Amino acid sequence: MSEVDERERAIADSLAEIRAIENADGVTEASLEAIKGVLLQLAKKRSLFDERAFPPPDRDGISNFYGLSVDDDDRYALYLSVGRKGRETPPHNHTTWAVIVGMSGEEENRIYARADDGSVDGQADLKKIDSRILRADDGLAYMPDAIHSIHVISDEPTRHFHMYGTALHALHERVQFDTGTGRYTHFPAIPSIPAKADA
């Protein structure tokens, strides 16, 4: 079996397990923990997802995002994110469940909660409630209403799986938050990402 075939088989087997978990148990903290366990096992196959097939961005770039699998109905989307030190996002939600699992590097995840009642459109009072450093062989699971930001802090590039209940290009209701101004704005859907590696 070629490396490409082995990778595709490993991804397909993992996605079959993940679909079965959600179909049986729905979207709960417990089911997302089970999905995280599946992805942690996939992450042990590091050689299938190394820089030969999924190179990091060049020195002028900050991140590469690779599509690994997405169902025809835009459900169950798996990506590989490779980021350099300095990559960060504003606080944002997903509107779908998400599980992130690390293979290399260190990324701070800051987790927030809204302290306001949501009555003023476009305004939000965010409070940071937790901070987790995502490393190799570790993972984080987020319910659809969770708010977080990511910050690559290691000199070594991060290499993480990002798994979503719905593909990023199909998420049109996400918002991002500005903690300085107390405003939130629409987070544009990410364009469709090719679902296969080049090698």
Side-chain angles (χ1 to χ4, degrees):
M1 182 183 296
S2 72
E3 183 175 277
V4 171
D5 289 339
E6 185 179 355
R7 179 168 56 241
E8 291 185 355
R9 177 65 178 271
I11 291 170
D13 288 349
S14 297
L15 267 291
E17 290 187 62
I18 288 167
R19 291 186 198 96
I21 291 167
E22 194 200 85
N23 288 333
D25 301 325
V27 179
T28 66
E29 291 184 2
S31 66
L32 295 188
E33 284 297 309
I35 289 170
K36 184 175 77 175
V38 173
L39 291 173
L40 284 168
Q41 290 303 308
L42 182 62
K44 293 183 183 300
K45 304 178 186 295
R46 283 175 171 76
S47 64
L48 298 178
F49 303 96
D50 63 17
E51 64 182 15
R52 293 174 300 120
F54 303 97
D58 60 33
R59 287 296 173 181
D60 294 328
I62 201 71
S63 68
N64 284 347
F65 211 62
Y66 298 97
L68 299 179
S69 179
V70 60
D71 285 9
D72 290 339
D73 60 356
D74 293 332
R75 292 295 320 281
Y76 303 108
L78 177 63
Y79 306 93
L80 178 64
S81 175
V82 185
R84 291 197 182 278
K85 189 173 186 178
R87 183 199 177 215
E88 60 182 15
T89 68
H92 60 277
N93 64 5
H94 295 124
T95 69
T96 188
W97 60 262
V99 176
I100 307 174
V101 163
M103 282 188 283
S104 64
E106 295 185 343
E107 173 188 279
E108 180 187 5
N109 274 246
R110 299 172 188 168
I111 302 166
Y112 302 83
R114 288 188 66 162
D116 64 300
D117 61 8
S119 61
V120 180
D121 189 45
Q123 291 189 340
D125 181 16
L126 283 194
K127 301 295 184 185
K128 188 173 80 170
I129 59 173
D130 199 4
S131 177
R132 289 275 308 276
I133 306 299
L134 184 61
R135 300 181 172 91
D137 302 315
D138 191 12
L140 295 169
Y142 292 110
M143 293 290 283
D145 60 350
I147 300 169
H148 79 137
S149 62
I150 61 175
H151 311 264
V152 176
I153 59 175
S154 60
D155 291 328
E156 178 187 14
T158 56
R159 189 170 295 270
H160 294 164
F161 288 131
H162 286 232
M163 179 80 213
Y164 300 93
T166 301
L168 292 175
H169 66 258
L171 299 178
H172 301 289
E173 303 299 325
R174 301 170 72 198
V175 295
Q176 57 189 358
F177 300 85
D178 186 327
T179 56
T181 65
R183 302 286 297 175
Y184 67 84
T185 55
H186 178 242
F187 196 142
I190 293 175
S192 184
I193 299 167
K196 292 193 182 291
D198 294 333

